[in-house]
Amino acid sequence: MISPRRVSPLGAAWRVLAVLVCLAVLVTGQLTRSNDLFPFGVLDQFSRGTDPNGEVVNTCLQGRREGGEPFDIAFGPRTVGISRADVENTLPAIVEDPELLAPLAAEYDRRHGDEDPLSELVLCQRITPLQDGTAHGEVEFVEVTRWTAP
């Protein structure tokens, strides 16, 4: 049988310090509601339930080519190079400066080089009302902001 070893005062001190640093990072993440320190902080995109009589907000992208009709563009690394959650996390900045959508349009155009480039990219939301936890009524389409090619 192996006998337990005593921890030296120095060993105990660095262990306590490591725990205190981790706790400080966790508390900072919780108080600032920031995901910047994840996995040592908040990741709250799934932490809240939806009111069964509320609404579901689905952020979406629509593109338009010169003279064409708008069409839906899925978020993701294979289309615009970014996930919907990353866009939703920076939504206020994008609303303030729609030019932040330009890299998404450029990435989409790069991946679809055989098609005409986008002339517009619309960041939108589809709002679905719920009643008793199921979709009820018409889906509302809201344009959040628009980027237009120069």
Side-chain angles (χ1 to χ4, degrees):
M1 183 166 138
I2 300 174
S3 63
R5 294 182 351 180
R6 295 188 59 81
V7 176
S8 71
L10 182 62
W14 78 258
R15 285 174 174 85
V16 168
L17 181 63
V19 168
L20 291 176
V21 167
C22 288
L23 285 174
V25 170
L26 284 170
V27 168
T28 300
Q30 290 293 338
L31 293 177
T32 62
R33 302 300 299 161
S34 170
N35 291 324
D36 294 341
L37 302 173
F38 182 80
F40 298 105
V42 176
L43 182 62
D44 62 357
Q45 67 190 40
F46 300 113
S47 66
R48 296 180 296 277
T50 300
D51 179 357
N53 294 310
E55 58 188 24
V56 174
V57 178
N58 183 10
T59 302
C60 52
L61 272 179
Q62 283 194 335
R64 181 181 297 207
R65 293 185 178 89
E66 195 63 46
E69 293 293 317
F71 60 94
D72 288 343
I73 298 175
F75 286 102
R78 293 190 175 128
T79 54
V80 292
I82 193 169
S83 71
R84 180 174 66 197
D86 290 328
V87 171
E88 289 173 339
N89 283 339
T90 57
L91 202 56
I94 294 171
V95 169
E96 188 175 310
D97 182 12
E99 196 61 31
L100 294 173
L101 292 173
L104 280 67
E107 184 65 16
Y108 183 85
D109 288 340
R110 186 183 72 78
R111 293 174 184 269
H112 297 83
D114 56 330
E115 300 173 8
D116 289 338
L118 295 175
S119 59
E120 291 181 328
L121 191 61
V122 174
L123 184 62
C124 50
Q125 292 180 329
R126 290 188 173 97
I127 303 171
T128 304
L130 299 176
Q131 184 173 349
D132 297 324
T134 60
H136 182 76
E138 295 294 318
V139 175
E140 179 185 2
F141 180 86
V142 176
E143 181 177 316
V144 177
T145 191
R146 176 184 302 259
W147 168 83
T148 304

